[in-house]
Structures are given as structure tokens and as C-alpha cells.
Amino acid sequence: MSPVPRAPAHRPIQILSPEVSNQIAAGEVIERPASVVKELVENSIDAGASQVRVEVVGAGKELIRVVDDGCGIEPEEAPLAFERHATSKIRAASDLASVRTLGFRGEALPSIASVARVTLVTRPRERELGARVEASAQGVRTAPAGAPFGTQVEVRDLFHNTPARFKFLKSDASERRAIAELLANMALAHPEVSFRLSMEGKEILRTPGDGRLKEAIAAVYGRRAAGELVAVEWESPWARISGYVGKPSLAKGNRGAESIFVNGRWVQNRLLFTAVEKGFESLLAHRRFPLAVLHLEIDPVLVDVNVHPAKTEVRFKDEREVFKAVMRAVRSALTGAEDRKSTRLNSSHLGI
Ligand code: ADP
Ligand code: MG
């Protein structure tokens, strides 16, 4: 038998159309409604908003609306926001080492528009007239429009043109849970911003945005929890760790109440979770997990944020040092609290 020829038929190399390449990018960045919410809210925060309102209908598949009072977009530039690799946040590759904004890839809006129908209305405070941009896989249309200052983005019919993606979504309840968890973490990351989340017409979360982390925690976990917190404050030449851990009485059966932020970015990193738990030592029973809201400020040069655009991953130059720092920060906060309690006890015994 002669061997079957294996060489494929020749097909010319071609550059993909923007429509196709945007959908491929969307496949990586936009997995579910919560990813849309994440990208839009991050844009609002990057725009310096002090108030961010999020409304969700149909678990985010029908409508996601995010309204902010941030800097807005110059009307002439508004359609550019939907071009791939168009960003106002970095200019040169050298900027990557020190990015402080949450976004910088210029991929979110074009990706979202390739799998949904997007309407963006925006106006900078000092401009009289703003712009309204309608964007979808079909293209981008812009017109001048009156608008309150700030930016409003509406995303309708998510994944209407990518049925495979649509089919893989989880139940409405679980998509809503993902959005609520995301917003809670956004709020804990940014106590200076007032967040409101409503889903199916019901308000789920409202934070005061007064800059106090404890108030944001109270909004997310309730007043009672906020009364059972121990402050964490720790500093070294290369890092600062601050926030709160809950007393052991607030411990949970999973890690859902452990929120860690690295330079303002929510990260889910096993190493950091373990460090927090190790900080509790024997204070927690087996398979009990603490409430913890910790902010790590680390020299950006020691952190690689360029890991994945959508995932909550992080890489450190020196993992061991970070681990030790987090563990010590938590441990010293807890032992400090114990010490203070026992001194108080002692002094009351002595009748002082
Ligand atoms: P990136 O955030 O990576 O720059 P995006 O596609 O998310 O990319 O947004 C593109 C650009 O649109 C941003 O760089 C920013 O200039 C502008 N933009 C998007 N959303 C807002 C917003 N809510 N307020 C002000 N500007 C915005
Ligand atoms: Mg962005």
C-alpha cells in the first residue's frame, strides 16, 4: 500500500478581520457576565470615579449597566475606545513595569462589543456635549449626545452571536453570585468609591465610599462582623500590609471571606491564603477559614501583573518573602490584640 499523502492542501496566510480577532480576544477576556462587570467597573475606577452604579438584568445576559462619575472620554476619542489595543493608560513598553491602573491592554471594550450590543455614553466634566457610541460585531457608530458627566456603558444580549459560549454559562443563580462576589471585592479594594449593585431590580450592595475600609466591610459582611475585627498594620522597606482580620469567632467553612489585594488588584493566590491562615496559627479549628481583608502595597517592580488579563493571578519576584511578611503581619495583629486584652484584664483585676 502506498502511504496516504499527509500534506494539507495549500491555503493562503491571511490576517484575520477585526471582527474575528476581537471574538478570539473576547474568548480569553470575557468568559461570563461577571467578566463584563469586572472590565467595566475597572474602567470606572481607572477613570477616578467616586460613585459606581451597577445594574444587572437576566443574570447579566440581558443587560449590564455601569454608570460612573469619572473623568469621561473626550467625544472625539470615544470611538477609539472600541479599537483593539487602544488605551489611554500606557504609551511605551517601559510603562508596563510600573502600571498603576487596573487596565492597560485596550482590549476590554472591543472584546465586549464583539459578543454583545454595547452603548457607551460619556462626557468629561468640562465639555458641554458628550458622545454616544453604539458598538457591536457589526461596527461602531458615534454621535454627539448630551449626557451627565462621567460614563455610562450598557451591554445587552451578551453572547447572542456566540452560542457555544452562551451554552456554557452556569445557572442564573451562579452567574449572579459571581457578580455579587466580584462587586464585594471591588468595594473592599476601593473603600474610597461608593458602589451600588442591583440585580433584577433588587439592591444587593451599597457601600458608603467614605474611604474607611471598616465601613466597606460592614456593608459587605454586616455590622456584627465589623465589630469583631482586628486591625493589621505592617511595614517593611519594600511592602506595606494593612487591613483587618476577623476574630476566630467569625471563621467560615471556606475561603470565601478571604480577600487579598495587591496594589489595589484583587488576587486569589493559594500562597497568600495559606500565609494568612498560618498567621492565625492554632486560633482556627481544622478546616476553618478566617475573614480577612488585606491590602498589600508592594513596589510594582517586585510584582508581575502581566500574567493574565482577566484572571485574579499574581506572581511575585520573591514568593517566600511575601509569604513571611503576610504571615507575620497577621500574627502580630492577632497577638497584639491578645496582649491588649490580657493587659486590660490584669489591670481590672488590680482595680486600676
Ligand atoms: P484599557 O482599560 O485596557 O485601557 P478598555 O478597552 O477597557 O482598555 O478601554 C479603552 C479606553 O477607553 C481606556 O483606556 C479609557 O481611556 C477609555 N475608557 C473606558 N471606559 C471608561 C470610563 N468608564 N471612563 C473613562 N474612560 C474610559
Ligand atoms: Mg479596561
Side-chain angles (χ1 to χ4, degrees), residues 39 42-43 46 89 103-104 108:
E39 295 298 334
E42 287 189 348
N43 280 346
D46 284 346
K89 299 171 193 175
F104 57 83

Side-chain angles (χ1 to χ4, degrees), residues 66-88:
V66 175
V67 186
D68 71 47
D69 62 352
C71 65
I73 307 174
E74 296 294 328
E76 307 74 35
E77 293 173 20
L80 268 181
F82 289 90
E83 294 283 333
R84 262 191 96 195
H85 309 305
T87 179
S88 57

Side-chain angles (χ1 to χ4, degrees), residues 23-36:
Q23 267 200 20
I24 293 172
E28 288 173 20
V29 188
I30 307 300
E31 290 181 335
R32 58 196 303 192
S35 351
V36 173

Side-chain angles (χ1 to χ4, degrees), residues 15-325:
I15 292 177
L16 296 172
S17 72
E19 195 188 331
V20 176
S21 59
N22 283 336
Q23 267 200 20
I24 293 172
E28 288 173 20
V29 188
I30 307 300
E31 290 181 335
R32 58 196 303 192
S35 351
V36 173
V37 177
K38 175 175 188 282
E39 295 298 334
L40 297 182
V41 171
E42 287 189 348
N43 280 346
S44 297
I45 293 169
D46 284 346
S50 57
Q51 295 192 35
V52 179
R53 210 171 75 221
V54 181
E55 286 165 68
V56 169
V57 178
K61 292 176 279 188
E62 275 170 54
L63 171 69
I64 293 169
R65 180 187 288 125
V66 175
V67 186
D68 71 47
D69 62 352
C71 65
I73 307 174
E74 296 294 328
E76 307 74 35
E77 293 173 20
L80 268 181
F82 289 90
E83 294 283 333
R84 262 191 96 195
H85 309 305
T87 179
S88 57
K89 299 171 193 175
I90 57 170
R91 286 282 173 266
S94 55
D95 296 341
L96 278 175
S98 54
V99 257
R100 286 257 172 213
T101 52
L102 295 164
F104 57 83
R105 291 161 195 273
E107 283 196 322
L109 290 179
S111 297
I112 297 169
S114 76
V115 293
R117 296 180 236 278
V118 181
T119 307
L120 178 149
V121 181
T122 188
R123 179 172 73 82
R125 199 191 277 261
E126 57 294 339
R127 297 286 294 252
E128 243 165 62
L129 205 56
R132 175 191 183 89
V133 185
E134 295 189 354
S136 70
Q138 266 67 57
V140 177
R141 269 203 338 238
T142 310
F149 73 85
T151 302
Q152 164 177 306
V153 184
E154 289 178 343
V155 176
R156 284 174 209 277
D157 306 328
L158 184 62
F159 300 134
H160 67 98
N161 55 351
T162 51
R165 226 346 105 113
F166 192 88
K167 222 174 61 199
F168 275 104
L169 292 178
K170 304 216 173 92
S171 69
D172 284 4
S174 122
E175 295 301 338
R176 277 196 286 267
R177 212 173 311 122
I179 294 172
E181 186 194 26
L182 175 86
L183 250 285
N185 280 290
M186 289 283 186
L188 297 172
H190 297 279
E192 77 285 3
V193 178
S194 166
F195 290 92
R196 270 155 70 185
L197 168 65
S198 69
M199 293 205 269
E200 326 300 348
K202 235 176 56 197
E203 189 171 278
I204 306 288
L205 177 71
R206 181 194 283 249
T207 67
D210 62 2
R212 288 184 294 182
L213 181 57
K214 205 176 209 168
E215 291 304 309
I217 296 176
V220 172
Y221 291 111
R223 276 274 152 225
R224 190 187 75 85
E228 300 276 295
L229 300 175
V230 177
V232 175
E233 269 309 332
W234 194 90
E235 243 183 285
S236 82
W238 52 273
R240 173 160 185 262
I241 302 173
S242 62
Y244 293 92
V245 288
K247 295 191 178 151
S249 57
L250 295 177
K252 320 261 173 199
N254 59 45
R255 285 177 166 159
E258 284 182 59
S259 296
I260 304 177
F261 307 96
V262 174
N263 295 344
R265 191 183 290 268
W266 180 33
V267 299
Q268 286 173 297
N269 175 291
R270 190 178 291 268
L271 175 96
L272 294 177
F273 288 147
T274 315
V276 173
E277 290 148 19
K278 275 248 189 297
F280 272 78
E281 284 193 298
S282 55
L283 291 172
L284 289 173
H286 183 57
R287 304 222 41 83
R288 300 294 287 169
F289 300 91
L291 187 156
V293 181
L294 293 179
H295 283 267
L296 277 68
E297 296 295 329
I298 301 185
D299 187 338
V301 184
L302 302 174
V303 186
D304 182 10
V305 293
N306 200 7
V307 184
H308 188 285
K311 302 262 157 40
T312 47
E313 284 165 21
V314 65
R315 253 187 243 133
F316 300 105
K317 293 261 154 65
D318 190 341
E319 295 211 317
R320 281 174 54 85
E321 279 305 310
V322 176
F323 183 93
K324 280 196 289 193

